[in-house]
Amino acid sequence: MIVFDDVTFSYGTRNILSNASFSFRFDERVAVLGGSGEGKTTILRLILGLIRPDKGKIFVDGEDITGKKEEELREVRMKFNIVFQEGALFDSLNVKENVAFCLREYTKMSEAEIDVRVREILGTVGVEQALELMPEELSGGMHRRVSLARSLALSTPSMFLYDEPTTGLDPINADNICRLIADLSKDGKGLIMVTHKVSDAMKVAERFMFLKNGSAIFDGNRKELLQSDIAEIQAFVSEVGFHNTADIS
């Protein structure tokens, strides 16, 4: 369980979260929606301890992480696999070396074991054929898949965290990434996906939060989202043409 207890966070004079309280179970599939600058990515960074709240507490598995030192946060972060929007592959390393990097740095695996593990992970995300390609040779969709593969290399997470995973992708690649995200959570692992795309959220999530002015103005299921009378949510939903639950498979 992840718990935000009366959390406030600001960037300088700009308030991002205001006395926010909510929680996520590790087996939930949650989409966090909202406009730019409403705190979606901030939630992910707070969960990982990359930033700290100005006020309030954050608990992960019942443990208050708010005041933990950097070295103490490693165990917390190992519970999650995070894929940030940028992907952030090493430009000077090919796909195989990108995925192998953390295995060489943080494990005692032999080169033969690393090779097997890298090929296995790349197969999981469907880009085993890209083993020797450089990042600049990858399509947008392949780049995002390799980023996912690298995040899977070191650990078996309790939960996946995705920051705008389909940004910049064409509709076909965006749909493929959504399918992959859903597949990776089929074994009961949960996810939190930050996105401004309702259509993508619908493909992977069962619970939806909508952020506005520093707090969650909506937190509910798919049917409740589609039937909400909140103007901001109606605007988001109308953009993708969903008007009732029959539109969602």
Side-chain angles (χ1 to χ4, degrees):
M1 180 77 78
I2 303 161
V3 177
F4 279 55
D5 182 13
D6 201 29
V7 170
T8 294
F9 180 82
S10 301
Y11 284 114
T13 59
R14 187 163 65 94
N15 203 38
I16 305 299
L17 294 176
S18 300
N19 305 110
S21 295
F22 45 79
S23 62
F24 306 106
R25 296 196 320 270
F26 278 116
D27 63 348
E28 285 189 288
R29 307 208 310 189
V30 185
V32 180
L33 303 164
S36 299
E38 294 290 354
K40 302 187 302 296
T41 298
T42 297
I43 287 175
L44 301 186
R45 293 183 178 276
L46 285 165
I47 290 171
L48 296 170
L50 298 173
I51 53 179
R52 300 179 189 274
D54 302 326
K55 185 173 77 71
K57 294 182 178 181
I58 297 168
F59 298 86
V60 176
D61 265 349
E63 190 173 9
D64 182 2
I65 70 166
T66 314
K68 282 187 175 294
K69 298 177 181 177
E70 185 65 23
E71 59 269 20
E72 296 174 319
L73 287 166
R74 176 173 169 77
E75 186 176 345
V76 174
R77 291 169 182 163
M78 291 296 288
K79 299 177 188 291
F80 303 98
N81 268 356
I82 175 72
V83 179
F84 283 114
Q85 180 177 332
E86 299 84 4
L89 298 180
F90 296 114
D91 291 338
S92 60
L93 302 179
N94 65 20
V95 166
K96 178 183 177 181
E97 296 303 308
N98 259 286
V99 178
F101 182 83
C102 287
L103 296 174
R104 292 198 178 104
E105 288 290 312
Y106 301 112
T107 76
K108 296 181 180 179
M109 295 173 68
S110 68
E111 283 300 312
E113 290 170 328
I114 288 173
D115 183 71
V116 170
R117 178 65 176 149
V118 168
R119 291 174 186 274
E120 175 187 26
I121 297 169
L122 290 175
T124 298
V125 300
V127 287
E128 61 272 25
Q129 77 281 7
L131 198 71
E132 302 299 331
L133 296 181
M134 300 299 290
E136 68 267 19
E137 298 177 287
L138 302 175
S139 67
M142 290 176 72
H143 194 285
R144 210 62 55 89
R145 284 172 179 262
V146 174
S147 297
L148 278 167
R150 196 174 66 177
S151 77
L152 289 167
L154 268 182
S155 65
T156 302
S158 299
M159 189 175 227
F160 294 93
L161 306 178
Y162 300 101
D163 179 23
E164 301 281 7
T166 61
T167 293
L169 299 182
D170 62 76
I172 292 175
N173 274 310
D175 186 61
N176 288 337
I177 290 297
C178 288
R179 290 178 188 277
L180 176 57
I181 287 172
D183 286 345
L184 289 173
S185 292
K186 277 185 176 176
D187 60 357
K189 290 184 175 64
L191 65 87
I192 301 173
M193 185 172 87
V194 161
T195 183
H196 64 278
K197 297 182 178 180
V198 178
S199 56
D200 289 346
M202 292 291 181
K203 295 170 186 173
V204 303
E206 299 168 336
R207 174 185 167 191
F208 303 84
M209 281 180 56
F210 196 97
L211 301 182
K212 179 72 175 178
N213 295 330
S215 63
I217 62 171
F218 174 87
D219 188 347
N221 61 33
R222 182 175 308 198
K223 182 178 179 180
E224 292 166 338
L225 180 77
L226 295 174
Q227 295 179 347
S228 173
D229 59 2
I230 299 173
E232 290 88 351
I233 294 175
Q234 289 179 341
F236 262 65
V237 170
S238 66
E239 287 178 8
V240 292
F242 292 133
H243 303 296
N244 56 60
T245 53
D247 293 321
I248 307 298
S249 59

